[in-house]
Amino acid sequence: ETKIIHITKENIEATAKEAADVWAQGGLVAFPTETVYGLGGNGLNKEASKKIYAAKGRPSDNPLILHIADMEQFYPLIKTDNAKIIARAEALADVFWPGPLTMILPKADNIPYETTGGLDTVAIRMPSHLVARALLQECKMPIAAPSANLSGRPSPTSASHVIEDMNGRIEMIIDGGDVGIGVESTIIDLTGEVPMLLRPGFVTPEMLQQVLGTVETDAAVYRQVGKDVHPKAPGMKYRHYAPKASMVLVEGAQDKVITYINEEAKKKREQGLRIGIMATDESKELYKADVVISVGSRISMDSVAHNLFRALRDFDEENVDFIYSESFDTSGCGFAVMNRLLKAAGHQVVKL
Ligand code: TXA
Ligand code: MG
């Protein structure tokens, strides 16, 4: 029922037309972006937004990001008299768009509350991926697109992940191979007095500060959402990226981490549990467990970001009961990686 198209140079134009037709009729198309695969529908059509929530099994108070092709599409989506907000958005767009940055802004009236999860603000992003751009240029509408995973599963970084989660649930899946970055876009809220980082990604706080000056970070980025921490991005309150197994992050000096994880893994295996370890290229030979997966090299946090969600899906497939994961420095992409790992682990951290 779901049409799967492998994109090539030859068919990209025809595919963009086909996707635009599906969107015009209120249907859903999954497509690659530079961050993760998106599950797209016409963002101005409330029935399409409802279909997106249904296909994902996602709570409808969790707002969607509108994807656009150019700045001409941008202005009609926002409504504000505050010149400072517009100036900040334009300055960020100049530097980071097209690219992996999402901005939260006051919404225009024609954007349905179904798309914004009932909020008066809207999330907007202009992706840089060639295929995403071709589709958005062709359809000429803002495309609402959450990550194309079932709610609670890791975001899809390849078409096979999308097929696993969405086959039979949507009209079309466009296979554009593996994505580049592998973690979702950075989200910055521009509606307040001080710009606020709601979700870390490839665009770091330092990069944002270079353009905006002061940038604050929402407490929910670091800490478990609970009594005293209320996230500004509704999506941050859900236990996203949750592997089926229970997961613990281990922090400390590298040799201590390896010794600790091996000892704990041995004990748990003696109890008959199947143990997974999230290691790195540098450490993977030093572990003994049922499943050891390297998430990349510590020399390149970009490679770790790129492999993270695939590794979490692989642990699911291996049916492990318990996962120990190394932790990472929060510089560069490490901030986004640690944010996703903490969420996957339900904030269970052992500090050595
Ligand atoms: O990289 C990405 O951003 C990917 C690709 C497909 O573009 N999309 C993505 O969408 O990650 P999703 O729906 O999985 O995550 C959107 C996040 C959620 O945490 C949501 O709560 C937040 O953006 N969000 C959306 N609109 C918002 C708003 N008006 N105010 C605050 N947070 C908002
Ligand atoms: Mg998501």
Side-chain angles (χ1 to χ4, degrees):
E1 212 202 26
T2 300
K3 182 165 185 186
I4 299 170
I5 300 180
H6 298 266
I7 205 88
T8 62
K9 248 192 243 144
E10 285 68 40
N11 72 10
I12 188 163
E13 253 178 67
T15 303
K17 287 208 169 75
E18 223 176 300
D21 281 344
V22 173
W23 282 332
Q25 288 160 32
L28 306 184
V29 179
F31 62 98
T33 82
E34 69 278 20
T35 56
V36 300
Y37 271 76
L39 171 57
N42 180 354
L44 300 182
N45 175 343
K46 62 182 180 201
E47 296 307 324
S49 291
K50 284 186 193 163
K51 275 194 207 164
I52 291 176
Y53 292 114
K56 277 182 70 83
R58 170 174 179 157
S60 58
D61 68 340
N62 192 355
L64 308 173
I65 297 174
L66 290 182
H67 294 67
I68 57 173
D70 50 43
M71 288 308 277
E72 238 171 275
Q73 274 189 309
F74 172 74
Y75 293 101
L77 299 177
I78 63 173
K79 184 175 126 181
T80 176
D81 301 328
N82 189 331
K84 191 154 70 186
I85 292 181
I86 295 175
R88 284 172 174 169
E90 286 174 339
L92 288 176
D94 260 353
V95 178
F96 299 111
W97 278 1
L101 179 69
T102 296
M103 302 185 213
I104 309 293
L105 293 155
K107 85 171 192 64
D109 295 335
N110 65 328
I111 302 171
Y113 284 114
E114 281 77 3
T115 299
T116 66
L119 298 175
D120 285 310
T121 55
V122 60
I124 307 176
R125 162 164 129 76
M126 189 190 294
S128 61
H129 193 287
L130 223 95
V131 174
R133 285 188 65 70
L135 302 187
L136 293 169
Q137 275 160 2
E138 178 65 35
C139 74
K140 298 183 175 59
M141 51 183 118
I143 295 300
S147 49
N149 52 285
L150 286 173
S151 191
R153 297 218 73 199
S155 294
T157 56
S158 84
S160 65
H161 301 160
V162 181
I163 293 167
E164 250 171 60
D165 284 11
M166 289 297 154
N167 202 7
R169 303 174 76 91
I170 60 179
E171 277 75 14
M172 194 187 291
I173 295 172
I174 297 176
D175 178 353
D178 282 5
V179 300
I181 293 173
V183 292
E184 306 88 344
S185 61
T186 303
I187 303 180
I188 186 152
D189 183 350
L190 296 178
T191 61
E193 193 43 43
V194 179
M196 174 89 76
L197 180 80
L198 304 188
R199 180 172 75 181
F202 185 82
V203 175
T204 64
E206 295 73 28
M207 291 156 80
L208 294 167
Q209 274 154 10
Q210 291 218 335
V211 177
L212 297 173
T214 313
V215 172
E216 285 176 358
T217 299
D218 188 23
V221 169
Y222 301 104
R223 292 194 290 144
Q224 188 158 25
V225 171
K227 274 205 299 290
D228 54 336
V229 182
H230 304 281
K232 290 194 126 200
M236 301 291 278
K237 72 172 173 266
Y238 299 105
R239 191 182 162 208
H240 268 181
Y241 329 116
K244 289 177 197 155
S246 112
M247 181 165 161
V248 168
L249 278 182
V250 185
E251 270 179 30
Q254 195 58 5
D255 53 335
K256 281 194 187 150
V257 167
I258 292 168
T259 307
Y260 175 86
I261 291 180
N262 275 331
E263 280 171 10
E264 293 300 307
K266 182 161 181 278
K267 278 188 236 165
K268 286 236 158 44
R269 292 174 82 197
E270 281 163 7
Q271 295 164 17
L273 295 173
R274 195 169 151 77
I275 301 303
I277 295 175
M278 180 107 90
T280 54
D281 289 356
E282 290 77 15
S283 65
K284 65 181 179 204
E285 310 294 345
L286 304 172
Y287 287 113
K288 197 164 159 30
D290 300 289
V291 183
V292 179
I293 296 177
S294 171
V295 70
S297 167
R298 281 185 181 276
I299 293 166
S300 157
M301 277 317 290
D302 289 1
S303 81
V304 175
H306 178 83
N307 296 321
L308 182 66
F309 289 141
R310 171 186 305 279
L312 289 175
R313 278 181 184 256
D314 287 349
F315 281 121
D316 277 354
E317 216 145 89
E318 291 279 359
N319 274 310
V320 294
D321 302 301
F322 211 94
I323 302 167
Y324 291 97
S325 174
E326 293 183 8
S327 54
F328 296 90
D329 194 73
T330 55
S331 60
C333 248
F335 192 26
V337 167
M338 280 304 286
N339 170 260
R340 306 316 191 265
L341 275 175
L342 280 164
K343 285 172 76 178
H347 288 260
Q348 295 192 80
V349 182
V350 174
K351 295 196 166 112
L352 300 177

